[in-house]
Amino acid sequence: MSATYVVTGSTSGIGLECTRLLLQQGAQVVSLCRNEDKARALFGLELSAGQLIVYQHDFAHNEQLYARCLQLLKPYRVNGLIHCVGQSLVKRLLKTDYAHTLQLFEVNFCSFSELCRALLRLRAPEQELSLLAISSMAALRPTPETPLYGCVKALLNQYIQGLAAEFAAVRPHLPEATPLERAQRGHLVRVNAVAPGRVATPMIAPTLMAVQAGQLEVTMLPPAAVAQLALATLHNRYLTGQIIALDNN
């Protein structure tokens, strides 16, 4: 197999499409998902062939995620991460509470941060690693009833750009090469995000139902389109610290 990638949320929406594309490309996928039985039903052949490995994790609780990933992912030489797990919240601020805030923070931000820490700890000195998260246009363009969700995704974007800056040195282990020669070889560690608008996934089922009923005039992005952009970004050796908007409005 050409490469190994970790994908979260691989049983639904964007994560499902990313997993399918990676498997079609011949990659090995390590899936972290909430529903292990659903993953086995979706990818039985790939599981039996060893092309897909599934581990169960509830991303609303990430206290042990770092230590667990150090143990689970140690046998694999991971080339990249596509973090598709997310939780939306479309609700007026006065109808939310502290528990909503904490859960959004855990699912949308802490999980990605802990996964990045673990994969960076496991990375060999000269190993390339591409870290990609699915963000949201809500972080870039404030909309009603999504202030908490937009803020958490904006925090995710800032984290991605800060982490990319921390690892932005281009091939520092090649002192004999000129800066141009090092740059032409790309970044060893890359950290990016794709920020789509509304995507037709089960996570926003009420909005999708309203669109289908003709109550809303909103263009919904197909998950496969977002997955294609995500993989193109993941494989690009020269992009880092980028929040790539995929605006459907």
Side-chain angles (χ1 to χ4, degrees):
M1 297 175 187
S2 57
T4 299
Y5 297 96
V6 175
V7 181
T8 65
S10 59
T11 61
S12 180
I14 299 168
L16 175 60
E17 297 300 329
C18 286
T19 301
R20 284 172 171 164
L21 286 173
L22 286 170
L23 291 173
Q24 288 171 9
Q25 294 174 3
Q28 183 181 51
V29 176
V30 179
S31 167
L32 294 176
C33 61
R34 285 190 304 172
N35 193 331
E36 188 174 348
D37 291 337
K38 186 177 179 181
R40 294 185 182 283
L42 286 166
F43 300 107
L45 291 176
E46 290 82 358
L47 274 164
S48 61
Q51 192 180 1
L52 179 70
I53 299 95
V54 177
Y55 298 112
Q56 192 167 5
H57 183 76
D58 181 358
F59 288 96
H61 305 282
N62 298 297
E63 297 89 346
Q64 303 300 320
L65 181 57
Y66 172 74
R68 187 163 184 251
C69 283
L70 288 182
Q71 179 183 10
L72 293 178
L73 301 178
K74 188 175 181 179
Y76 310 102
R77 183 180 173 90
V78 176
N79 301 93
L81 163 70
I82 306 182
H83 188 57
C84 301
V85 163
Q87 184 177 46
S88 181
L89 181 66
V90 181
K91 187 177 288 190
R92 292 189 177 279
L93 189 61
L94 292 179
K95 292 186 177 181
T96 62
D97 56 26
Y98 190 59
H100 285 116
T101 304
L102 287 180
Q103 190 160 349
L104 282 177
F105 188 75
E106 279 285 353
V107 175
N108 293 295
F109 174 74
C110 292
S111 56
F112 182 70
S113 176
E114 293 301 275
L115 282 165
C116 287
R117 284 207 307 136
L119 289 172
L120 287 165
R121 175 68 66 187
L122 291 169
R123 184 182 73 92
E126 297 185 10
Q127 177 187 345
E128 291 193 15
L129 181 64
S130 184
L131 305 168
L132 178 76
I134 301 299
S135 183
S136 171
M137 282 298 298
L140 307 173
R141 182 180 56 223
T143 55
E145 301 187 2
T146 61
L148 286 176
Y149 177 71
C151 283
V152 173
K153 287 295 190 180
L155 173 66
L156 176 67
N157 291 352
Q158 182 62 35
Y159 175 83
I160 284 167
Q161 292 178 320
L163 190 60
E166 187 172 328
F167 286 90
V170 183
R171 306 285 180 177
H173 60 288
L174 299 173
E176 75 287 352
T178 67
L180 178 58
E181 288 171 337
R182 291 198 297 270
Q184 288 174 338
R185 302 186 191 191
H187 295 278
L188 273 176
V189 176
R190 307 181 292 277
V191 195
N192 296 289
V194 170
R198 289 186 178 92
V199 185
T201 67
M203 187 173 74
I204 57 170
T207 303
L208 181 58
M209 291 173 64
V211 170
Q212 292 171 340
Q215 298 170 3
L216 290 176
E217 292 185 5
V218 177
T219 302
M220 305 289 282
L221 289 165
V226 184
Q228 289 171 357
L229 178 58
L231 261 65
T233 306
L234 183 79
H235 296 324
N236 192 310
R237 300 173 67 193
Y238 305 99
L239 284 178
T240 192
Q242 301 304 307
I243 312 299
I244 302 175
L246 186 60
D247 191 1
N248 53 335
N249 292 305

